Amino acid sequence: MALTDTCKPRETQPMLMELSLRGIRPKVVYVDDECCGAWPSILHQIWPGVHVRLDGMHAIAQLTRTTSSTQHPWQSRFCGMLAASIYTHNKQIAESLKEARAREGLGHTLPKTVRNNYVPRVITNAEKIVSAIDAVMAHFRDSVHPQMGPLLTTTTEDAWANLKKHVAAGCLCDPPDVALLCFCDSVIIGGRVFRSVVTKRGASALEGFH
């Protein structure tokens, strides 16, 4: 690993070339921005055929960091609705897990932490994602909090206008020919076996370094 002053494509190019010389051959590279800009040309020179994708967390941040205030009462709901617009959880496994937990007396709800641990999620259907985020934006655009005022700003609208082009182009969507989910330890809940799931997609534990 090498630390760089910025995360700009040109500055990271020498480090990426060194990784290639070490035999690293990724199938997908996730980027913060410039998914249709400098990144593809640089990455395809190093790893021909590699998929370049925009990280979902950074896509959401492009919108959430432009709101009127991170302390706005609707900020967390806005974040949650954007995430729900992008990620699709496996409904069958989610329902089975919910029923299994109910049999063990754990309630009829599925906590987010449990869902994220055992229910696979994918990013597919760019058109559906665009439509869903459009609906989220419309919902908050027409709402004004009595104390804090509107949540969205003109910068949020501009950010979505820019991001929308990339979402529509499929820059967020999982490559169809790459397995991004790893199923790990098994656990028995309500008489059924569930496996924890880890995704290879997007941001990692090293995110804070840049």
Side-chain angles (χ1 to χ4, degrees):
M1 178 184 294
L3 298 180
T4 58
D5 292 333
T6 74
C7 57
K8 294 299 182 181
R10 293 297 174 190
E11 184 168 344
T12 60
Q13 188 173 11
M15 180 187 68
L16 297 174
M17 294 178 67
E18 182 179 343
L19 290 176
S20 178
L21 292 175
R22 293 180 185 180
I24 303 299
R25 298 290 184 270
K27 295 181 179 180
V28 191
V29 173
Y30 286 89
V31 299
D32 298 2
D33 53 20
E34 294 195 54
C35 49
C36 296
W39 277 118
S41 60
I42 290 175
L43 291 169
H44 289 158
Q45 288 177 13
I46 302 172
W47 295 299
V50 71
H51 297 283
V52 181
R53 291 292 185 267
L54 177 62
D55 174 48
M57 185 195 76
H58 286 92
I60 292 174
Q62 288 183 30
L63 302 178
T64 59
R65 68 188 178 199
T66 64
T67 57
S68 57
S69 171
T70 57
Q71 303 303 311
H72 196 289
W74 294 338
Q75 178 78 0
S76 61
R77 182 157 37 125
F78 182 51
C79 296
M81 291 174 71
L82 289 174
S85 299
I86 293 174
Y87 299 102
T88 300
H89 288 84
N90 186 301
K91 292 183 179 180
Q92 184 177 358
I93 295 179
E95 285 301 317
S96 295
L97 181 56
K98 188 184 298 184
E99 293 170 1
R101 284 173 51 82
R103 286 195 296 272
E104 289 211 347
L106 298 174
H108 295 275
T109 61
L110 188 59
K112 183 178 178 181
T113 53
V114 176
R115 182 196 64 185
N116 290 345
N117 197 25
Y118 295 107
V119 181
R121 66 180 188 177
V122 297
I123 304 178
T124 58
N125 197 330
E127 184 178 345
K128 184 177 179 180
I129 295 173
V130 168
S131 178
I133 297 181
D134 269 338
V136 172
M137 294 291 291
H139 172 79
F140 287 99
R141 185 181 298 123
D142 298 334
S143 303
V144 178
H145 190 272
Q147 282 79 44
M148 294 291 290
L151 173 69
L152 306 186
T153 65
T154 55
T155 307
T156 314
E157 300 287 358
D158 292 341
W160 172 230
N162 176 67
L163 177 61
K164 188 174 184 177
K165 296 177 292 186
H166 300 288
V167 177
C171 294
L172 276 180
C173 294
D174 296 337
D177 57 342
V178 180
L180 294 173
L181 301 177
C182 294
F183 292 90
C184 306
D185 298 335
S186 299
V187 62
I188 298 177
I189 303 174
R192 293 204 56 176
V193 177
F194 296 90
R195 297 180 66 186
S196 60
V197 59
V198 177
T199 180
K200 301 176 184 177
R201 179 196 306 112
S204 72
L206 301 177
E207 178 63 25
F209 276 109
H210 77 246

